[in-house]
Amino acid sequence: MTKTCLITTSDDTYLKYTTPLINSCNSILGDKVDLMLRYVSTKPLDNHIRDKVDIVIEETNALCTKRTHFGGGFDSEHPRNTSSSIRDKLVSKRQLYCIHSKYMNCKLGFNMGYDRIIISDADTIIRRDILEHSGMSNECDMMMKKTVAGKRNGYKYPHVFEEGFFVIYNNINSNRFIDKILDGLDNETTQGTIHVDSDTILIGNLL
């Protein structure tokens, strides 16, 4: 049997959107997967949430919540990009950390011995048994949706990968791939060029 874990990240301000994911995962997938939550906050996690999650990784480091980074992003329809408010177009250091933590979550799942990792944005709802999807097999290293995009902001690959929900298998290729993304994000953080879709660009250019 393929040992599977669904992993997501949330901070205290986003828990209200994370609860539907937790409830739907437990309802639809049940014991088929372990559910892991990376919780980034200086505030303790409520027990009613903790009791619904198999594994909780708590990070109490006080990342700045001030919105100082331009959000960027390829999705012109995203509320962040359509808003007339400058503040809405900015994200905080903690938001960026949570957005890009999915690759740390991959490595954590690999190191914990899971065969298959499902990475999900915190505001996702599971509506059907995704394990029955025809693409859920060991015949691929990773399954991720892509959409066509124009060349912009130094992005050379003709597709944008929608990394908000994807499946990745624990093997040598996947480990190397995730390591390269993490290295790229670290470099951009050091250089001060990190933004919301830095990971999307890295994925496209690597593939």
Side-chain angles (χ1 to χ4, degrees):
M1 183 176 178
T2 304
K3 189 178 178 184
T4 305
C5 187
L6 188 149
I7 316 178
T8 193
T9 299
S10 180
D11 63 5
D12 54 273
T13 65
Y14 219 69
L15 271 181
K16 61 183 177 182
Y17 304 111
T18 312
T19 302
L21 168 63
I22 293 171
N23 290 339
S24 62
C25 181
N26 287 330
S27 175
I28 302 297
L29 300 178
D31 294 334
K32 294 180 181 180
V33 304
D34 288 342
L35 179 57
M36 186 188 305
L37 170 66
R38 182 186 294 270
Y39 180 62
V40 184
S41 177
T42 55
K43 300 177 181 178
L45 180 64
D46 290 340
N47 286 331
H48 79 277
I49 297 290
R50 186 185 300 275
D51 292 343
K52 296 179 180 180
V53 179
D54 297 300
I55 305 166
V56 176
I57 308 298
E58 289 193 73
E59 295 192 16
T60 57
N61 45 324
L63 291 170
C64 182
T65 58
K66 215 171 163 185
R67 298 187 182 188
T68 55
H69 295 267
F70 178 64
F74 290 108
D75 185 0
S76 60
E77 301 301 318
H78 193 286
R80 180 176 54 246
N81 294 325
T82 58
S83 173
S84 59
S85 167
I86 296 296
R87 186 178 184 278
D88 288 344
K89 297 180 186 297
L90 300 176
V91 294
S92 68
K93 186 175 181 180
R94 187 165 79 175
Q95 284 176 303
L96 279 176
Y97 180 84
C98 289
I99 289 168
H100 296 146
S101 68
K102 53 176 66 82
Y103 309 101
M104 291 188 293
N105 292 343
C106 283
K107 289 297 291 186
L108 179 61
F110 291 162
N111 293 336
M112 292 177 68
Y114 286 100
D115 305 307
R116 177 172 55 197
I117 309 296
I118 302 171
I119 295 296
S120 175
D121 279 350
D123 54 0
T124 303
I125 295 178
I126 306 296
R127 300 180 63 186
R128 63 184 67 180
D129 190 343
I130 54 179
L131 299 182
E132 295 180 357
H133 189 283
S134 58
M136 286 283 190
S137 69
N138 301 32
E139 297 176 1
C140 62
D141 297 325
M142 181 175 66
M143 184 169 64
M144 182 183 293
K145 184 180 179 181
K146 66 181 180 180
T147 55
V148 176
K151 295 180 180 179
R152 53 203 277 197
N153 300 330
Y155 187 68
K156 302 295 192 294
Y157 199 82
H159 295 91
V160 166
F161 287 81
E162 299 182 11
E163 80 298 329
F165 190 92
F166 66 92
V167 180
I168 190 165
Y169 285 84
N170 190 354
N171 57 42
I172 294 175
N173 291 335
S174 296
N175 272 274
R176 287 175 178 169
F177 180 71
I178 295 299
D179 284 341
K180 287 181 179 179
I181 294 176
L182 288 170
D183 287 343
L185 292 173
D186 283 343
N187 289 336
E188 290 199 21
T189 299
T190 301
Q191 295 169 9
T193 57
I194 193 84
H195 60 87
V196 169
D197 278 339
S198 288
D199 55 338
T200 303
I201 293 173
L202 285 166
I203 290 170
N205 288 335
L206 283 171
L207 294 178

